[in-house]
Amino acid sequence: MASTTINSKKKAAKQKTTAPAQTEHRPYGIGRWLFATNHKDIGTMYMVFAITAGLIGGGLSVLMRLELQQPGVQYFLGAGDPDGHMWNVFITAHGLIMIFFTVMPALIGGFGNWFIPLMIGAPDMAFPRLNNISFWLLVPAFVLLLTSLFVGGAGTGWTLYPPLSGTIGHANPSVDLAIVSMHLAGASSILGAINFIVTIFNMRAPGMTLRVMPLFAWSVLITAFLLVMTMPIFGGAITMLLADRNFATAFFVPEGGGDPLLFQHLFWFFGHPEVYIMILPAFGIISHIVSTFSRKPIFGYLGMVSAMVAIGFLGCIVWAHHMFTVGMGFAIKLYFSVGTMIIAVPTGIKIFSWLATMWGGSIRFSVPLLWALGFIGLFTIGGVTGVVLALGGIDVQLHDTYYVVGHFHYVLSLGSVFAIFGAFYYWFTKMSSCVIPEWAGRLHFWTTFIGVNVTFFPMHFLGLAGMPRRYIDYNEAYAGWNSVASFGSYLSATSTLFFVVVVVVVLLRGKKKVADNYWGAGATTLEWTVSTPPPFHSFSKPPRISR
Amino acid sequence: MGAISFARLLRLRGAVKVVAAAGVSFLLANALVANALVADVLVADALAEEGTEIKTEIKTGAQNWQTGFSAPASPVARQSFEFHDNLLQPIIVFICLFVFLLGGFICWRFAEKRNPTPSRTTHHSKLEVVWTLVPVAILVVLFVPSFNIMRAIEDVSEADLTVKATGHQWYWSYEYPDHDGLAFDSNLLTEDELKDKSKRLLQTDNALVLPVGSKVRVLVTATDVLHSWAVPRFGVKIDAVPGRLNETWLTADEKGVYYGFCTELCGAGHAYMPIEVHIVSKAEFVIWLRKAKERFATKSQPDLLADLLAARTDSAQQ
């Protein structure tokens, strides 16, 4: 019942907002970007930043795959000997860059900034200057992380576990730089999250109640809550680590009465919600794309919202499933195992609801939908291997093997990243008024789809056979699937470069005249009611969402 | 002793080259034991003196192009692998196929040209209840065997033998507290030292030797950073945490050589500290114990002293 009212409301809302007159105030030059307070400009900067960081982080992974293509150490050499530390620096940088500087800025900073105000009919974010500092904190954070590479490099893994991240493992300042980098990135995320919460709660257009709010707005709202709740814990944990390293405290130093496991608990209290922070906005985006190209409203809107709330809540209380082998008690392992398994239920609801949205629809297979379908299929694989790893009995066999690497790349690299690409093809023309040719989008999709599957599927086999993750070298028994995975990564990398070239060419060719709602009747949210590209200041007068 | 503190110094600087560290430890082992001994050689020697012949069946581990677990070699591993292969994996494959086929059918049936007018259905309460309850049922089915495995892993009671594995950057050391504190280090064999090149990154100079069929309690800890003691075919994996003593257990089904890995990132030499376990008959184990005590006796005392002194120097520096 609720959803039929959504439709009527959305349709009614599609009254055209006329672009403000040419007299609108609009900053120019470097000031437009450095002092940006416009959500669209900040969103664009986030997106450029995320793509740049993604190319660096992805480049690191290609070099890693090059090394792992065959047994023996061919490239990561220091003075002719295998340089395991350099290897660890690469895996660490790849993880941190992809999480903090690619996926989060793209989904939350980029698409969130651009489309949350448009979707809820707000003129901008609630705190435009806060929005500016959120972005500009991210840049020095990234610079600090890159600097750490040149002062020895942090080879701790993205998890930064002490004692390896303490002075015993890293006497040079690289880990300190990485910690301060995470502080800034964390502050950036918290400020951004506060901004989204306030915006979504206070600035919705009249008539847009929480029960009809678009699912992407819901997903970003829940994500923002997760960030505000867990990121400070992470900040605290790495501050303690910083104190251990520099001020002779002993929070995590056993000789001083501390405990390395305390860090792991604090880290994963943030670290597990973090994976939902990366996937929930993707859920929101996929819902929009599926609904648009099926020309059908979302099936089970209330169920979808409840599922996301449930995933967010459960995601905060299951952190220690990353720690089944650290020597926890039986009862506590049991709790974390059961809690984690339960997350499969709301996740399943989402998968089935997307399929049900398509059922009975009139499906057009445009490029964004290809990415969304890829997302649903591959996220299903990542989801079921997640259940395998949630089982306390089996996780002991697979923990810290390539099975885990395969699993989380299926949910993040093939889940979140597919959603990012889907969103990009869905909204790119709206944002820029440039058009990416259909054939290029399809070629990009299929090469990436084949590439990532060839890369990550064999990792499950390697993990079952026992190959540990974060290894620079391996016994010949693991050679076959490793070489397959490497060739897959070369294909995905080529495909990504192709994408970048296409986007640059399309942008250079300049703006085309495009309809406001170029996807047609299926696209019902408010961003399709503004012009393409949207005026610098949109919804100066809030649209009325009436029945 | 000088060499040990030098190695520690290097380690503290955090930029030790793997080979250098392995080399230093190897030289140490050489100096103290007189010659590096591969455990099966040791057993063979011992048995030759006793007039018997070694019949260690070599069971190999992972194979190239393998797509599943290796053959299990302990009750827990068998229980885990069978649960995974016979129930868990079939179920997840079925779920994936179900989603793919349903998705494929929907894409075919409701494509624009076949279904030009979309329906407006957005609710089906019964269906929503079904797709909530069916996954719950599947999870319950999966949970029971997992619970049993978790309980089995937990049960370290009534062990026949206790060994202690200590993780260091970047080698394991083993102790037999039940047997006069027999203790030795287990370092990776470099490529030059390998007799069988296919065992690269797997073989060590001194393997852990355990009797077949006995319940062995394994105590695991670390001296510097986190490590993890894992032998896939025994289904064993437990983290080595400085300041903590973890325990797990294994009972080997058959004689043979089994390999494992350090599975917690521990720095530059993470990939270079394998675990080699030789499972021998109980009689062979007794002989090995006697010989090993002789061989390593000279080593353990000075080593303990050196460790103690080095630890004192470290704490004095702090």
Side-chain angles (χ1 to χ4, degrees), chain B residues 204-243:
Chain B
T204 60
D205 54 357
N206 300 306
L208 177 68
V209 179
L210 297 173
V212 69
S214 303
K215 182 165 181 178
V216 182
R217 187 161 66 132
V218 188
L219 304 176
V220 181
T221 188
T223 53
D224 35 42
V225 301
L226 301 172
H227 301 272
S228 184
W229 199 81
V231 185
R233 293 187 60 200
F234 293 138
V236 166
K237 183 177 291 150
I238 187 93
D239 286 4
V241 184

Side-chain angles (χ1 to χ4, degrees), chain B residues 7-24:
Chain B
R8 277 176 175 269
L9 194 69
L10 278 178
R11 188 194 306 154
L12 282 173
R13 290 183 59 190
V16 188
K17 290 288 173 290
V18 178
V19 174
V24 169

Side-chain angles (χ1 to χ4, degrees), chain A residues 109-150:
Chain A
F111 296 118
N113 258 308
W114 248 99
F115 292 104
I116 293 297
L118 287 179
M119 276 183 179
I120 63 173
D124 204 307
M125 296 288 284
F127 307 122
R129 291 193 181 90
L130 191 70
N131 205 8
N132 175 290
I133 197 72
S134 299
F135 173 76
W136 283 110
L137 279 177
L138 209 51
V139 177
F142 192 47
V143 171
L144 280 172
L145 187 66
L146 293 181
T147 313
S148 84
L149 300 180
F150 298 98

